[in-house]
Amino acid sequence: MASIEPFSLSVPNAQLEQLSQKLSTTNFPDELDEAGWDYGAPLADIKRLSKYWQDKYDWRKAEAKINELPNYKTPIDIDGFGTLDIHFVHQKSPVKDAIPLLFAHGWPGSFHEVSKILPLLTSSATPSFHVVAPSHPNFGFSSPVTKRGFALPQYAETCHKLMLKVGYPHYVTQGGDWGTWITRIMSLLYPSSVRATHINLIRGHAPTFFSNPILYLQHKFSPSSAREKGGQARTNWFVKEGRGYAAEQETKPQTLGYSLNDSPVGLLAWIYEKLHDWTDDYPWTDDEILTWVSIYWHSAGGPAASLRIYYEVAHDAEFGLPRTWEYVPKVKLGLSYFPKEIVVFPKAWGRTMGPVAFESEKERGGHFAAWECPEELVGDLRVMFGKGGGAEGVVEGKNGYGVEIRRGKL
């Protein structure tokens, strides 16, 4: 436990004053009549949120709520990149033999997404979990990276070494968005430690006759269900209308970074669009939206740093996204399908990703499952790792059951 220190967030007053000044001098664009959401975030919404951010939003209240979490920082040495200070939340369960679980966030999320599922996962309900939720490098309150080439293997290395450092040589993972692809690479590189992984952004490939003849025939000759047709429509929408952000972040993140680092309203619009488009009519409050955005604005590396993962992964020929869609053996896989995920492929595709130990199809929910549908996500994890579940007992001596012990953080 050496060199693991408690962390308390305290944004300097000068930074908050600068933010207020920038908000007060915003030069808003015009907007076409009846534009709605077709052209991006509506002007009326952004003006309302900007005004609220400047006049009424209480960052100190949000900051105090974040500081109620068991926050820590610790240095992690990453091969070829030196030492990075990693911020993470670590909540232990009161249940003896709780299952160690790494929660991996994505973009435009953060460690903050764990806050709704944390009390559920670490409660006395069984199976129970010890939960570790880091801010990835370049995100939140972890160090930014200053060298090129920090891609999925390095994010995976960071998470794995963090789990070892806090005392979990064997563990399971849960991830969405980049958290899916990071934990997939963790399963590939560290299968003796990662005993099972659960994801809610699911890709895979259409099964082929030579790789999986039974799955291929089932997929080819089974008529598409109404749900699969809905998933195809959702995927088509994203490919055609929803992924322009990724093309920019994969190719010229530095150029975009100037705007996001300098303009809080630009950052707000960039993220707010995703919170609207990627969820299943989730009723975002203004405070929720501005806390998500503020975590990026006040992050250790600034908003631009979080974009670079797109470039690095897109330019990694060996461990790019296509590698994460392929079959990964040895590590059991859980799949939860939410209808308003940004892409929704047939279940047969997901089954090509690894030895599937759990599947579920949810009636509601989108990209940010831990925030939109915390009870449903936790319920799936309890079924997957519980008695009779496909991943029961995967961590030796840590099955999530047992007598309660005194609650502690570390």
Side-chain angles (χ1 to χ4, degrees):
M1 295 303 182
S3 73
I4 295 177
E5 300 292 340
F7 171 75
S8 182
L9 179 61
S10 181
V11 172
N13 286 329
Q15 192 169 321
L16 297 178
E17 291 167 2
Q18 182 194 51
L19 169 61
S20 180
Q21 188 273 332
K22 284 179 174 289
L23 289 168
S24 70
T25 58
T26 300
N27 184 19
F28 291 97
D30 64 358
E31 183 179 59
L32 298 177
D33 294 341
E34 301 179 356
W37 279 93
D38 293 343
Y39 291 76
L43 179 61
D45 284 14
I46 297 303
K47 281 187 171 181
R48 186 196 76 249
L49 286 163
S50 300
K51 183 67 172 173
Y52 185 77
W53 199 358
Q54 182 183 356
D55 295 341
K56 295 182 179 180
Y57 175 70
D58 188 348
W59 166 253
R60 292 303 183 198
K61 181 179 179 181
E63 186 179 69
K65 192 70 176 176
I66 291 171
N67 284 334
E68 290 177 4
L69 298 171
N71 292 280
Y72 299 90
K73 264 194 171 183
T74 192
I76 301 287
D77 293 329
I78 306 302
D79 293 345
F81 291 87
T83 300
L84 301 176
D85 287 330
I86 302 302
H87 160 256
F88 63 102
V89 171
H90 182 199
Q91 180 66 69
K92 299 191 74 171
S93 167
V95 175
K96 183 182 179 182
D97 300 332
I99 304 165
L101 180 144
L102 172 83
F103 174 83
H105 71 80
W107 184 94
S110 70
F111 74 94
H112 182 55
E113 291 177 80
V114 83
S115 59
K116 286 190 177 183
I117 62 173
L118 193 66
L120 304 175
L121 288 171
T122 63
S123 72
S124 299
T126 52
S128 191
F129 300 83
H130 300 316
V131 178
V132 177
S135 293
H136 298 306
N138 290 326
F139 289 82
F141 308 111
S142 289
S143 294
V145 179
T146 58
K147 295 174 62 177
R148 297 179 64 137
F150 199 96
L152 288 177
Q154 287 71 40
Y155 285 97
E157 180 185 350
T158 305
C159 289
H160 175 61
K161 287 183 173 179
L162 175 63
M163 292 300 281
L164 297 181
K165 194 166 187 178
V166 297
Y168 301 132
H170 306 112
Y171 55 88
V172 303
T173 68
Q174 200 291 317
D177 194 87
W178 283 113
T180 288
W181 315 128
I182 291 168
T183 57
R184 291 283 291 165
I185 295 299
M186 293 176 72
S187 298
L188 184 67
L189 298 180
Y190 310 108
S192 63
S193 289
V194 181
R195 297 305 175 88
T197 185
H198 177 276
I199 58 176
N200 51 275
L201 176 57
I202 302 156
R203 179 60 162 81
H205 293 283
T208 67
F209 181 79
F210 294 103
S211 65
N212 195 320
I214 295 176
L215 192 60
Y216 167 79
L217 293 171
Q218 290 173 340
H219 179 58
K220 183 174 179 62
F221 294 107
S222 297
S224 297
S225 66
R227 185 181 180 104
E228 286 177 331
K229 291 177 180 177
Q232 184 62 59
R234 178 68 170 172
T235 303
N236 290 344
W237 163 82
F238 179 73
V239 171
K240 182 179 179 181
E241 302 285 352
R243 73 171 315 275
Y245 78 98
E248 180 68 18
Q249 293 176 186
E250 288 170 356
T251 56
K252 302 296 180 184
Q254 185 70 19
T255 304
L256 176 61
Y258 296 114
S259 298
L260 301 189
N261 254 53
D262 186 63
S263 172
V265 172
L267 178 67
L268 167 63
W270 197 247
I271 291 179
Y272 175 54
E273 175 197 293
K274 311 306 180 289
L275 300 185
H276 172 272
D277 286 357
W278 294 1
T279 54
D280 191 4
D281 294 323
Y282 178 77
W284 291 98
T285 68
D286 290 355
D287 285 304
E288 284 179 305
I289 294 165
L290 292 172
T291 296
W292 277 55
V293 175
S294 293
I295 288 172
Y296 276 83
W297 185 257
H298 298 306
S299 61
S306 69
L307 310 180
R308 295 174 189 142
I309 186 173
Y310 286 83
Y311 181 93
E312 301 296 359
V313 175
H315 291 80
D316 186 341
E318 183 177 4
F319 291 104
L321 285 184
R323 183 65 186 89
T324 70
W325 305 336
E326 297 174 6
Y327 192 90
V328 177
K330 301 180 182 179
V331 178
K332 292 187 175 183
L333 180 63
L335 308 172
S336 290
Y337 293 86
F338 290 85
K340 289 301 178 72
E341 182 54 273
I342 55 176
V343 290
V344 184
F345 291 97
K347 288 193 293 183
W349 288 41
R351 293 168 187 165
T352 69
M353 297 177 74
V356 174
F358 173 84
E359 280 182 326
S360 76
E361 289 184 311
K362 318 312 290 185
E363 294 301 315
R364 67 183 186 94
H367 188 65
F368 305 105
W371 195 261
E372 295 178 69
C373 307
E375 293 84 3
E376 288 89 338
L377 184 64
V378 171
D380 282 359
L381 290 170
R382 287 219 160 96
V383 172
M384 178 176 173
F385 294 102
K387 293 180 179 178
E392 177 188 6
V394 290
V395 180
E396 185 177 354
K398 304 287 185 182
N399 64 5
Y401 297 84
V403 297
E404 290 191 18
I405 59 176
R406 186 173 181 179
R407 180 179 286 275
K409 293 180 180 178
L410 282 174

